Amino acid sequence: MTASHEFFYAGGPQGVLLVHGLTGTPAEMRVLGKGLHSAGFTVHGVQLPGHCGTVDDLLQTTWEQWYEGVEKAAEQLRTRVDTLFVGGLSMGAVLSLALAARRPELVSGVGVYGATFRYDGWNIPAVAKLSFVLPWFKRLGIGRDRMFMEEPPYGLRDERLRAQISAAMLSGDSAAAGLPGNPWHALAEMGALSKWTRRHLHQVTAPCLVVHAREDDVASLGNAELVMTRVSGPRELVILDDSYHMITIDRERREVIRRSAAFFTAVSAGQPALPEVA
């Protein structure tokens, strides 16, 4: 069993559950968590099953287990707060939307940060875009030890932070910066999660704040547009011009905090839906 690297900041009666991405760690949500806590929210950064450990730890889990970890954390946080919001980065955004679709009575609003249904950003190699074959590879037991390695800029436009994160990631400290690549079989699970969530996006009735980098190197703006066109509830789109994929820690992290706090506060107060495009 991997050690826990979750974080919890006790605050007011509005709670936010934050969900990291595939092969990532709660650390990528900590800056946003601290910012939301400073704005008065109670915040829990969950650690997905199989993460923050070895590749084998990750490969022993499925997308259903990742989702169950999020749902369990949401239920626990809801016992402490009056209103629950959920926000996730990359695959964490997909898991957050899945929770809102499956458990609408739990979720009052969703922060959708760099949603990744498809790895189709400008820095994704062409071979990685053939991920539709990975489920077959997994069923046949092919490529269990193979992975797509992360490459610069590692989702970060901030060069100083990029150097720090890449050094930690390549050092083997997965708890600090995640794994250095995406295992093929984990990507197959990610594909199954994306497929399920896409089919159920229309069941998302909670207000959604969709934040995406215009030059996202991992997931194109088409992922954000998918959310905007398919969810049923009110939604607001915020496009960032000075960040790459890791928008919760990149150059515009303060803007992400500001817009998130304003959005969740407005929803908590029952204010009218914000405009769809900002």
Side-chain angles (χ1 to χ4, degrees):
M1 178 181 293
T2 56
S4 175
H5 298 276
E6 300 189 345
F7 58 85
F8 180 82
Y9 305 131
Q14 283 75 44
V16 184
L17 178 68
L18 295 176
V19 188
H20 64 80
L22 179 64
T23 74
T25 82
E28 65 199 36
M29 308 304 292
R30 192 179 295 273
V31 172
L32 175 57
K34 288 182 176 179
L36 290 171
H37 179 244
S38 294
F41 293 89
T42 293
V43 183
H44 178 202
V46 67
Q47 179 175 315
L48 297 176
H51 287 71
C52 298
T54 66
V55 172
D56 282 341
D57 291 330
L58 177 61
L59 293 179
Q60 289 172 20
T61 58
T62 65
W63 78 263
E64 290 94 344
Q65 290 172 308
W66 304 337
Y67 171 81
E68 288 167 5
V70 172
E71 186 175 89
K72 181 179 179 181
E75 290 173 340
Q76 292 175 341
L77 182 55
R78 184 62 181 81
T79 65
R80 293 172 170 260
V81 297
D82 296 335
T83 306
L84 176 69
F85 300 98
V86 61
L89 174 67
S90 195
M91 184 185 77
V94 181
L95 285 165
S96 298
L97 289 162
L99 178 67
R102 191 176 281 185
R103 297 292 304 276
E105 80 284 0
L106 267 182
V107 179
S108 295
V110 187
V112 184
Y113 309 112
T116 305
F117 291 91
R118 298 180 299 270
Y119 287 92
D120 58 356
W122 58 263
N123 196 43
I124 300 297
V127 65
K129 296 178 183 179
L130 300 176
S131 58
F132 62 88
V133 303
L134 294 179
W136 292 103
F137 284 2
K138 184 173 184 182
R139 292 189 189 100
L140 297 172
I142 298 172
R144 190 181 190 279
D145 298 326
R146 301 290 299 276
M147 67 169 59
F148 293 115
M149 298 301 294
E150 295 270 0
E151 296 183 358
Y154 303 111
L156 292 162
R157 194 161 191 155
D158 186 314
E159 295 180 1
R160 179 188 59 81
L161 186 58
R162 183 193 308 163
Q164 294 174 355
I165 295 295
S166 62
M169 184 169 59
L170 297 175
S171 74
D173 187 359
S174 65
L179 294 173
N182 290 304
W184 285 10
H185 287 191
L187 285 171
E189 292 294 326
M190 164 71 180
L193 166 66
S194 296
K195 183 177 180 180
W196 186 93
T197 307
R198 284 197 306 269
R199 289 202 310 264
H200 294 86
L201 279 176
H202 67 281
Q203 295 174 213
V204 178
T205 56
C208 292
L209 174 67
V210 183
V211 189
H212 214 95
R214 190 181 304 278
E215 298 182 50
D216 192 313
D217 55 319
V218 173
S220 75
L221 265 176
N223 290 272
E225 292 164 357
L226 176 69
V227 178
M228 291 294 292
T229 56
R230 293 199 185 182
V231 298
S232 298
R235 57 268 196 201
E236 177 186 5
L237 176 63
V238 177
I239 299 177
L240 303 175
D241 290 312
D242 196 25
S243 300
Y244 289 155
H245 184 62
M246 302 293 290
I247 58 176
T248 55
I249 58 175
D250 210 354
R251 289 179 176 174
E252 293 165 289
R253 55 191 177 275
R254 292 181 181 83
E255 179 67 3
V256 174
I257 293 169
R258 186 184 72 81
R259 298 301 288 261
S260 299
F263 185 85
F264 296 147
T265 298
V267 173
S268 297
Q271 295 178 8
L274 297 170
E276 293 192 2
V277 179

